[in-house]
Amino acid sequence: MGVCSQCKHFRRVKPGSQLLATIFSTTDADISHGLNKIVEDEGKQRDEESQYKRSQATAGKSAWAYRPVMSDYCGLNEKNGEYYIAEVLNAGQQCTKFEQGKPVRHACSDCVHR
């Protein structure tokens, strides 16, 4: 039992805007505007996911109905298309599936989400 961020099943989400910003120079006005629009959309998605997490927690449910785009999650059973709300699954740090370590890295070509 421990903190989710130290578990090998924990998946930290990195927004697409951050990935794009590292690739494209933001000195071009059109690119900057496009990235700002993406950041705005990501903020809306993050808010929706936060609201969904709260409703699931209130209902005593620990699973997402879909793979979250803007929220960290527990990937304990992600190969089967199950994504868990880490904060709910590990409430009070009582998760029985906690395993210290970092996620196993896979090549994109081997990813189940490809």
Side-chain angles (χ1 to χ4, degrees), residues 22-52:
T22 61
I23 296 171
F24 295 105
S25 168
T26 57
T27 56
D28 183 277
D30 289 336
I31 292 174
S32 292
H33 179 71
L35 283 174
N36 287 337
K37 176 65 175 136
I38 292 170
V39 169
E40 183 180 310
D41 291 345
E42 288 172 341
K44 290 176 186 176
Q45 180 69 32
R46 184 179 297 113
D47 292 344
E48 291 289 325
E49 289 181 6
S50 292
Q51 192 173 18
Y52 179 81

Side-chain angles (χ1 to χ4, degrees), residues 6-80:
Q6 297 173 356
C7 180
K8 75 176 197 173
H9 303 297
F10 186 72
R11 304 295 182 257
R12 186 167 308 281
V13 171
K14 190 165 192 174
S17 60
Q18 287 180 10
L19 300 172
L20 289 171
T22 61
I23 296 171
F24 295 105
S25 168
T26 57
T27 56
D28 183 277
D30 289 336
I31 292 174
S32 292
H33 179 71
L35 283 174
N36 287 337
K37 176 65 175 136
I38 292 170
V39 169
E40 183 180 310
D41 291 345
E42 288 172 341
K44 290 176 186 176
Q45 180 69 32
R46 184 179 297 113
D47 292 344
E48 291 289 325
E49 289 181 6
S50 292
Q51 192 173 18
Y52 179 81
K53 284 195 302 187
R54 283 191 297 277
S55 68
Q56 288 293 89
T58 301
K61 298 178 181 177
S62 62
W64 290 90
Y66 54 89
R67 183 174 186 247
V69 178
M70 293 301 300
S71 301
D72 299 337
Y73 64 94
C74 174
L76 174 67
N77 208 10
E78 67 186 340
K79 286 185 180 180
N80 295 327

